[in-house]
Amino acid sequence: QVQLVESGGGLVQPGGSLRLSCALDGVTSEYYIIGWFRQAPGKEREGISCYSSRDGGTAYSNSVKGRFTISRDNAKNMVYLQMNNLIPDDTGVYYCAAAQYRRITSLRASSYDYWGQGTPVTVSS
């Protein structure tokens, strides 16, 4: 059973930075994708970034491209989301998700089978 645990959320001022972490356990397939999603109050869950183990490929939504960076530490079984130049619209609960036996990045929630519990991020002055 795949398990994911997010951490690193909190309150940050506009223009600030945060690094979210996602601890992975139980991923057994050679090929898998790890995604980051967020959900703001009253809004649908939005896929914002993805990492593919096949070639280290990444994908970003237009809303975060150029500001957020996803990375993977294989030795620690961790996936990170570095978030820079944060704006109030980045506020929400952030989730990491995993899908085994997939090679192509995806920002669609329906592509993922396993989800973490989420970590809240608030961008406010």
Side-chain angles (χ1 to χ4, degrees):
Q1 183 74 1
V2 176
Q3 293 184 321
L4 305 100
V5 179
E6 305 95 334
S7 60
L11 173 64
V12 62
Q13 292 187 343
S17 298
L18 277 177
R19 188 178 80 158
L20 304 183
S21 300
C22 176
L24 309 176
D25 187 38
V27 174
T28 58
S29 60
E30 179 181 4
Y31 297 114
Y32 57 88
I33 58 174
I34 305 295
W36 281 99
F37 292 76
R38 67 185 181 189
Q39 188 162 20
K43 294 187 177 180
E44 293 187 355
R45 190 167 296 191
E46 174 191 16
I48 57 174
S49 187
C50 179
Y51 166 91
S52 169
S53 69
R54 180 177 69 92
D55 56 0
T58 59
Y60 298 92
S61 66
N62 288 335
S63 59
V64 306
K65 194 175 297 181
R67 300 188 297 123
F68 291 11
T69 303
I70 190 170
S71 62
R72 170 88 164 104
D73 186 329
N74 290 319
K76 295 182 179 180
N77 265 350
M78 299 288 291
V79 174
Y80 303 101
L81 186 69
Q82 178 67 43
M83 307 188 296
N84 298 328
N85 194 20
L86 285 159
I87 60 177
D89 280 351
D90 293 321
T91 294
V93 179
Y94 282 67
Y95 302 88
C96 63
Q100 300 197 89
Y101 313 107
R102 287 187 177 266
R103 305 185 181 197
I104 307 301
T105 56
S106 173
L107 298 181
R108 299 173 60 181
S110 59
S111 297
Y112 295 85
D113 305 305
Y114 306 98
W115 293 82
Q117 82 290 349
T119 185
V121 172
T122 302
V123 184
S124 175
S125 54

